[in-house]
Amino acid sequence: MQSTPGNNRRWRTIKSAIVSALSFIAAILVVAPLGFVFFHLVRSGAGAVNLSFFTQLPKPVGEAGGGMVNAIVGTAELLGIAALIGVPVGVLGGVYLAEYGSARSNRMLRFIADVLNGVPSIIWGVVVYGLVVLRFKSFSAYAGGLSLGLIMIPLIMRTTEEVLLLVPNGYREAALALGISRWKTIVHIVMKTASKGIVTGILLALARVAGETAPLLFTAFGNRFWNHSLREPIAALPLQIFTYAISPYEDWHRQAWAGALVLIVGIFFINIVVRLLTRNPAFRVL
Amino acid sequence: MNVVTRPSIPGETEQPSLATQMSRPSRFGDRAFEWLTLAMALAVIALVFLVGWQLARGSQLAIAKFGFHFLTTSTWDPVAEQYGALPFIYGTIVSSLIALIIAVPLSIATAVYLTELAPLWVRQPLVSLIEMLAAIPSVILGLWGIFVMIPWLKAHPFPLLKTLFGWTPFFEGPIYGISMLAGGIIIAIMILPIITSVSREILRSVPNLQREAAYALGATRWEVTRIAVLSYAKKGLAGAVILGLGRALGETMAVTMVIGNTPQIKASLFAPGYTLASVIANEFTEATTDLYLQALFEVGLVLFGITILANLIAQVLIKTMAGATTTRAVQ
């Protein structure tokens, strides 16, 4: 069949339109799970989120009601320990990448940090189990916090580096020209200028590890009651959701949905606040 | 001491200048601060070795006892103290492949839509939604998987697949809902955001000159995308896909909740499976004997090895494709 040039042109335009439509559909399909998950979280979870959810301990099987206050507090404690480990190492490491080091060695460190980022979170649980739990013969809040903190290190390192590199060199030069020493320039001028970005990176890293379950399974372990010492097993919201979700009890399923709703609202809240605070695209981290 | 001297002002006493006073402590401060930050930056290298060493040390006995057979035998029987990781390796690979088959076309098409086709006002909100999808914790997706996705799959798509393709070995046998296929689908959802956003960064790094040249030759939008953009970005997109594979291999909670956790090798995707990550998640705290625990450490070592490998390849591909701009999305 002989096709005239005009005909051909039309077919090509149609083909282009078809592909455009397909890629639009793909985009819809990619964000669809977000909508479905959120819809079901609200539908199944909202009913069980009430005051007692935030104030009471979990009830034994068969008794209705109860809450997850210990898990919520536990997650907060774990995040606190994680931040104590992840923030100093990550931020200072990021300072080195942005302010010191040769281009070549930094490229290598960056590369390794990115590879480290791809290590499955469950591996961190296994490593911390061998490192801490076996040694001290007990699951503990310390172990759980450590595994989350280690996950945070490469995340914070990379975001800190990026925001520091956004600080114009003129700032550094002006400070050095005034006779201020290098480290004071970095701490008081460069890091101060970029402080919003650094905090953003830290918050996003916290939001990311707040939902991690796998590294806590055999480090923090979970606890049905209050944790009285950081050397004891501790409850965490994601762990509690997991335990309840795979249990055979209807009441617990409801609690799992409620816990999931609370957790996701917290995580989304941090993400949205951070994004509103910093509209600069360089601060956005996945 | 290398201090810049200024001309002395008459009447000034011969006290050391402010600069000299400060120089000594601040030099020490400079050096100390640099060493401190260096030590923290080196932590990433130390961590890689720490993980490798800890996993190898924890699995010494198992490695000595089973040797290479650990990877090639398929009996996983804690009671008989027989440990072979083949069903988990198989499950990990198959579920990750299913995930890639679903996620790669969708993600790359979405990235193309975001960079080449979408109206400008749509782009930013869409990117934010994809980032929110990435922020959903695995355990929550698993919860949704158990109570919403599985019943739905069991009711509609699975029977349909069975009637259409039931004659092939891949879609035969009873439908339980929890299955290798369900595991693959949930992993696909987990890796959609990362492949999309890395692909998007890659496509954005394609020079506009490429597109303009193709438009100037009279190409349609799709032709510009195919000829000028996609072929130019091939390598980087491959990197994005392998990065997604790395995440898929290590995905734990959501998979554990829907894949069925049965150590078997079955061709049918409707049959339950097991992955490296989920066997660790499930059995670690139940490991009562030393050898059992060691075998699980070795499973971790295998998982660490293959994910490191996937990530290395992905990073190399992505970084040769584009400069520092893309590295951000890799997180």
Side-chain angles (χ1 to χ4, degrees):
Chain A
M1 202 172 75
Q2 186 83 36
S3 70
T4 65
N7 222 337
N8 184 24
R9 173 79 208 180
R10 187 191 293 161
W11 165 234
R12 285 166 54 210
T13 319
I14 292 171
K15 197 157 79 174
S16 183
I18 291 172
V19 176
S20 297
L22 285 178
S23 74
F24 174 73
I25 293 169
I28 298 290
L29 286 176
V30 166
V31 292
L34 177 71
F36 287 131
V37 171
F38 203 72
F39 169 77
H40 284 108
L41 280 174
V42 172
R43 205 181 66 165
S44 310
V49 180
N50 46 29
L51 190 65
S52 64
F53 182 86
F54 294 101
T55 53
Q56 290 185 13
L57 288 176
K59 288 264 169 69
V61 182
E63 282 181 50
M68 287 197 189
V69 62
N70 60 336
I72 295 170
V73 174
T75 285
E77 285 177 48
L78 287 168
L79 289 179
I81 299 170
L84 284 179
I85 295 152
V87 170
V89 180
V91 169
L92 290 174
V95 168
Y96 184 84
L97 288 178
E99 306 289 329
Y100 298 105
S102 67
R104 237 181 98 195
S105 69
N106 282 358
R107 201 165 337 125
M108 194 190 69
L109 285 171
R110 225 169 268 148
F111 185 84
I112 293 172
D114 287 343
V115 170
L116 205 59
N117 236 328
V119 173
S121 57
I122 185 131
I123 294 291
W124 294 109
V126 176
V127 168
V128 171
Y129 179 88
L131 216 58
V132 179
V133 177
L134 273 185
R135 190 150 306 160
F136 296 99
K137 298 194 173 49
S138 166
F139 301 107
S140 63
Y142 287 124
L146 176 64
S147 62
L148 297 184
L150 295 179
I151 296 173
M152 286 171 74
I153 289 174
L155 286 169
I156 296 181
M157 199 177 279
R158 297 292 276 119
T159 48
T160 303
E161 181 207 355
E162 259 167 47
V163 292
L164 292 185
L165 289 175
L166 288 178
V167 177
N169 255 333
Y171 286 36
R172 299 181 180 84
E173 285 156 9
L176 292 171
L178 289 172
I180 301 172
S181 62
R182 182 111 182 253
W183 78 274
K184 280 184 182 156
T185 304
I186 293 171
V187 173
H188 294 296
I189 311 290
V190 182
M191 288 176 76
K192 187 136 188 251
T193 311
S195 57
K196 211 163 136 191
I198 297 174
V199 172
T200 300
I202 294 170
L203 286 177
L204 286 179
L206 281 172
R208 152 90 194 273
V209 298
E212 285 289 356
T213 315
L216 298 180
L217 285 171
F218 24 86
T219 53
F221 194 68
N223 193 336
R224 308 218 346 99
F225 306 99
W226 283 107
N227 158 287
H228 297 291
S229 150
L230 295 178
R231 265 173 276 166
E232 291 169 6
I234 189 169
L237 206 43
L239 273 179
Q240 201 89 336
I241 295 168
F242 177 61
T243 316
Y244 280 10
I246 60 171
S247 77
Y249 314 111
E250 208 46 53
D251 277 346
W252 281 15
H253 293 166
R254 233 192 328 276
Q255 291 283 64
W257 281 106
L261 182 63
V262 170
L263 181 61
I264 202 117
V265 166
I267 289 172
F268 281 180
F269 180 74
I270 297 177
N271 273 276
I272 289 168
V273 163
V274 153
R275 271 185 191 117
L276 290 179
L277 278 176
T278 53
R279 279 307 180 102
N280 188 327
F283 294 133
R284 278 204 327 274
V285 192
L286 195 66
Chain B
M1 206 167 268
N2 210 354
V3 177
V4 181
T5 51
R6 61 186 163 84
S8 60
I9 302 157
E12 194 184 38
T13 49
E14 277 300 304
Q15 271 179 351
S17 72
L18 195 61
T20 352
Q21 280 178 345
M22 282 176 57
S23 65
R24 201 180 283 271
S26 64
R27 273 201 185 169
F28 169 75
D30 263 350
R31 204 161 303 165
F33 190 67
E34 185 174 350
W35 282 103
L36 178 68
T37 57
L38 173 64
M40 297 303 161
L42 289 177
V44 290
I45 300 181
L47 279 176
V48 172
F49 282 105
L50 176 75
V51 174
W53 173 73
Q54 190 68 42
L55 293 175
R57 204 181 64 133
S59 53
Q60 262 172 355
L61 273 178
I63 293 173
K65 177 145 192 232
F66 303 113
F68 203 66
H69 289 294
F70 188 74
L71 304 177
T72 54
T73 52
S74 55
T75 322
W76 184 265
D77 186 353
V79 180
E81 297 262 281
Q82 279 305 312
Y83 302 103
L86 194 62
F88 313 124
I89 297 173
Y90 173 81
T92 301
I93 291 173
V94 171
S95 59
S96 299
L97 282 182
I98 296 171
L100 284 186
I101 290 169
I102 298 168
V104 168
L106 286 177
S107 308
I108 293 184
T110 304
V112 166
Y113 181 72
L114 277 169
T115 51
E116 313 292 325
L117 306 167
L120 285 177
W121 63 270
V122 173
R123 295 186 186 188
Q124 196 48 53
L126 195 53
V127 169
S128 297
L129 285 179
I130 291 169
E131 282 172 354
M132 280 168 84
L133 180 62
I136 297 181
S138 185
V139 69
I140 292 185
L141 209 58
L143 177 74
W144 178 81
I146 295 180
F147 295 111
V148 181
M149 191 187 77
I150 295 264
W152 179 73
L153 285 176
K154 202 174 157 185
H156 305 291
F158 280 9
L160 184 70
L161 278 173
K162 192 164 176 172
T163 40
L164 288 177
F165 304 107
W167 49 274
T168 63
F170 304 114
F171 297 101
E172 62 175 18
I175 295 170
Y176 306 107
I178 48 166
S179 57
M180 195 73 105
L181 190 53
I185 293 170
I186 212 104
I187 300 176
I189 298 174
M190 301 261 2
I191 64 174
L192 278 170
I194 184 137
I195 304 184
T196 306
S197 54
V198 178
S199 303
R200 172 172 162 265
E201 295 285 339
I202 298 279
L203 295 182
R204 263 156 51 121
S205 72
V206 174
N208 260 332
L209 220 54
Q210 285 279 116
R211 300 185 178 92
E212 285 158 13
Y215 274 124
L217 290 172
T220 61
R221 225 167 212 209
W222 162 238
E223 286 162 348
V224 171
T225 306
R226 184 169 56 89
I227 300 164
V229 179
L230 288 181
S231 68
Y232 183 92
K234 235 182 316 185
K235 221 170 161 186
L237 292 178
V241 170
I242 297 175
L243 196 74
L245 174 66
R247 292 292 151 92
L249 295 169
E251 191 42 60
T252 311
M253 300 315 296
V255 190
T256 306
M257 293 160 89
V258 301
I259 204 169
N261 302 327
T262 314
Q264 59 182 11
I265 299 179
K266 286 258 177 79
S268 174
L269 301 179
F270 289 147
Y274 221 156
T275 70
L276 291 166
S278 47
V279 71
I280 302 176
N282 257 326
E283 301 187 7
F284 206 86
T285 47
E286 294 166 9
T288 39
T289 64
D290 273 352
L291 194 63
Y292 194 0
L293 194 64
Q294 294 247 343
L296 288 170
F297 264 89
E298 194 173 350
V299 169
L301 188 63
V302 174
L303 179 62
F304 179 64
I306 56 176
T307 49
I308 283 282
L309 191 68
N311 275 284
L312 278 175
I313 297 170
Q315 296 294 345
V316 168
L317 284 171
I318 291 168
K319 275 172 192 170
T320 51
M321 164 73 203
T325 50
T326 52
T327 54
R328 191 179 70 240
V330 174
Q331 308 200 338

